[in-house]
Amino acid sequence: MSNKVVFDNEQISDVVKEQQYVHEVYQAIAPHFSQTRYKPWPLVELFLKELDIGSLGADIGCGNGKYLDVNKNVFTIGSDRSSKLIDICASREFESIVCDALNLPFRNECFDFIISIAVIHHFTTPERRIAAIEELFRIVKPGSLVLIYVWALEQDARRKFDKKHQDVIVPWVVPASKNDPDRKEEAIYQRYYHLFKKGELDNLILNTGKAQIIKTDYDKDNWYVVARKKSCNK
Amino acid sequence: MRLVTHNMLQCHVRGCNVNNYPLQLSEVEIEIQETEFNSQFLRSMIRKLEWSALINSAREIGITTLPEVLPDDFDEDFLRNIHRVLLETHIQQGKMTCPNCNHVYLVRDGIPNMLLNESET
């Protein structure tokens, strides 16, 4: 599959791009997206299961909440920009709130862990990706861990991308369904992604000056980093 | 929304950086949903809360059973009460008002909506 380049010729603001190509898409595809997102990724599950009992954390960009009940011995608050996805979390009795990852409504340094799975790649500029990462390190306690996953440019399994273009739109297809009156015909939605090169996420994290990298690797079409917030730096 | 979550929330309107915590609860509707008691989990989690904010917020929703000062030792009665207040008490509807800028965030069907207008961010 080749990727179609977007935005080079479009004179719309970053905010509007994210609204049209991310927020509105997730609002529209929430039920179908949720049906396809039920299985936790093993490494994320392992990260959550190794946390100390009684830990308090947040899943920023939690989608349908599939990580919120992985470990019953920790308390995880889910947050997402999409109210439709949070409605799904609430219907599953998960603790969750609607908010924007660029402007989190949490106190400084109040969490023992943070996960951000497949979220940061939806921000359209380096500045906004950095701001989102800064927010994660603002709310986590010094010495505590943050796990971040983002889509990789180099992915080679289900999808292949032209290595020249990091900013792409990727269609989400909701097939027609006989049992669903809202899905009489197939519908295609366009989602924006920034595809991360090897080391790019690591650099964004290190450049905040707030964290050290504990682990960095490739997993399931994504680059991921486990980073620890430094103790001396507020 | 449970009080654990509320204990982490602060106002995040642009420029509202002081006295923006805790958000004042009003016009709340509460629902109790029973859940499994886990004393080891509770013992550790209690220490992570801002206790004075918690007793204030609990009072705002009609709960007056929390001690002013967090005890050094947690007995079974205390933990059972904390379990009820923190994990089984759900704020289904209500308002959360910033004590500094008076911005109001709404809780609807148990979900706090913390999104701001563009002019507020």
Side-chain angles (χ1 to χ4, degrees):
Chain A
M1 179 178 121
S2 72
N3 43 327
K4 184 171 147 194
V5 185
V6 286
F7 302 148
D8 288 352
N9 304 316
E10 293 186 34
Q11 301 298 312
I12 55 174
S13 75
D14 306 323
V15 174
V16 174
K17 281 175 198 167
E18 284 166 21
Q19 208 175 327
Q20 288 182 0
Y21 291 90
V22 182
H23 304 160
E24 287 174 11
V25 175
Y26 279 103
Q27 287 293 77
I29 70 174
H32 181 246
F33 176 83
S34 180
Q35 286 165 21
T36 64
R37 294 288 183 283
Y38 50 89
K39 219 173 137 193
W41 292 349
L43 290 182
V44 180
E45 193 174 6
L46 187 67
F47 174 87
L48 293 169
K49 287 195 162 158
E50 285 178 343
L51 295 164
D52 291 338
I53 188 166
S55 293
L56 192 61
D59 179 352
I60 306 300
C62 66
N64 67 348
K66 68 175 175 173
Y67 294 112
L68 300 179
D69 68 341
V70 160
N71 182 348
K72 308 276 187 207
N73 283 320
V74 305
F75 190 91
T76 312
I77 302 170
S79 86
D80 207 284
R81 179 68 176 68
S82 167
S83 61
K84 298 280 187 207
L85 286 169
I86 293 299
D87 285 344
I88 293 170
C89 292
S91 72
R92 301 167 76 184
E93 302 190 344
F94 295 152
E95 192 74 7
S96 53
I97 77 170
V98 180
C99 72
D100 191 326
L102 291 178
N103 193 5
L104 294 171
F106 300 113
R107 292 191 276 119
N108 295 349
E109 303 185 343
C110 68
F111 290 116
D112 300 309
F113 68 94
I114 303 287
I115 62 172
S116 161
I117 310 302
V119 177
I120 307 286
H121 54 220
H122 284 316
F123 291 103
T124 54
T125 66
E127 293 74 22
R128 294 169 74 79
R129 292 189 281 275
I130 291 166
I133 290 171
E134 292 268 3
E135 274 294 80
L136 303 180
F137 288 105
R138 178 182 68 78
I139 63 174
V140 78
K141 287 176 187 169
S144 291
L145 298 179
V146 176
L147 171 64
I148 304 176
Y149 266 72
V150 290
W151 252 20
L153 180 64
E154 297 87 346
Q155 59 187 281
D156 203 17
R158 289 179 304 155
R159 296 183 179 83
K160 288 186 178 60
F161 291 104
D162 178 346
K163 305 288 182 288
K164 289 199 287 289
H165 301 295
Q166 283 187 269
D167 295 286
V168 301
I169 55 171
V170 178
W172 179 277
V173 180
V174 180
S177 165
K178 283 182 190 147
N179 308 322
D180 188 342
D182 292 335
R183 284 168 55 182
K184 286 198 179 104
E185 288 171 25
E186 177 186 273
I188 301 175
Y189 299 90
Q190 306 292 347
R191 283 187 303 173
Y192 166 83
Y193 279 86
H194 175 78
L195 301 168
F196 280 70
K197 287 182 183 167
K198 183 176 187 177
E200 185 179 346
L201 175 62
D202 310 51
N203 286 335
L204 292 185
I205 292 169
L206 290 172
N207 286 343
T208 65
K210 297 201 172 78
Q212 60 183 128
I213 290 175
I214 303 296
K215 194 171 179 200
T216 172
D217 208 345
Y218 180 83
D219 176 47
K220 284 186 175 286
D221 308 332
N222 287 263
W223 294 110
Y224 76 92
V225 171
V226 177
R228 189 187 301 283
K229 181 168 181 171
K230 289 182 188 172
S231 293
C232 52
N233 218 326
K234 295 258 161 164
Chain B
M1 179 186 70
R2 290 177 269 198
L3 284 177
V4 188
T5 301
H6 176 266
N7 200 259
M8 305 299 136
L9 294 177
Q10 66 178 13
C11 183
H12 56 126
V13 169
R14 187 214 298 254
C16 182
N17 305 316
V18 290
N19 190 30
N20 58 349
Y21 171 85
L23 301 174
Q24 291 160 355
L25 291 163
S26 61
E27 299 172 35
V28 292
E29 279 174 37
I30 303 289
E31 209 176 282
I32 303 293
Q33 292 166 25
E34 295 200 346
T35 180
E36 204 179 323
F37 177 75
N38 179 341
S39 72
Q40 208 191 340
F41 164 80
L42 279 170
R43 279 174 191 281
S44 162
M45 201 195 56
I46 292 166
R47 306 267 179 214
K48 301 172 191 299
L49 303 171
E50 283 290 332
W51 187 257
S52 60
L54 177 69
I55 51 173
N56 262 314
S57 308
R59 230 180 263 131
E60 286 167 356
I61 64 170
I63 298 169
T64 54
T65 54
L66 299 179
E68 285 297 318
V69 180
L70 186 63
D72 292 332
D73 249 2
F74 304 147
D75 61 22
E76 174 87 8
D77 284 352
F78 176 76
L79 288 173
R80 290 271 170 195
N81 186 31
I82 283 290
H83 176 73
R84 174 51 64 115
V85 173
L86 286 182
L87 300 178
E88 296 188 328
T89 305
H90 294 254
I91 298 167
Q92 292 300 105
Q93 318 290 339
K95 277 173 151 184
M96 301 188 288
T97 307
C98 172
N100 182 44
C101 75
N102 294 321
H103 186 86
V104 175
Y105 301 90
L106 295 179
V107 181
R108 287 286 169 261
D109 301 320
I111 303 168
N113 187 339
M114 306 304 287
L115 289 176
L116 299 169
N117 297 328
E118 231 174 282
S119 61
E120 296 159 344
T121 59

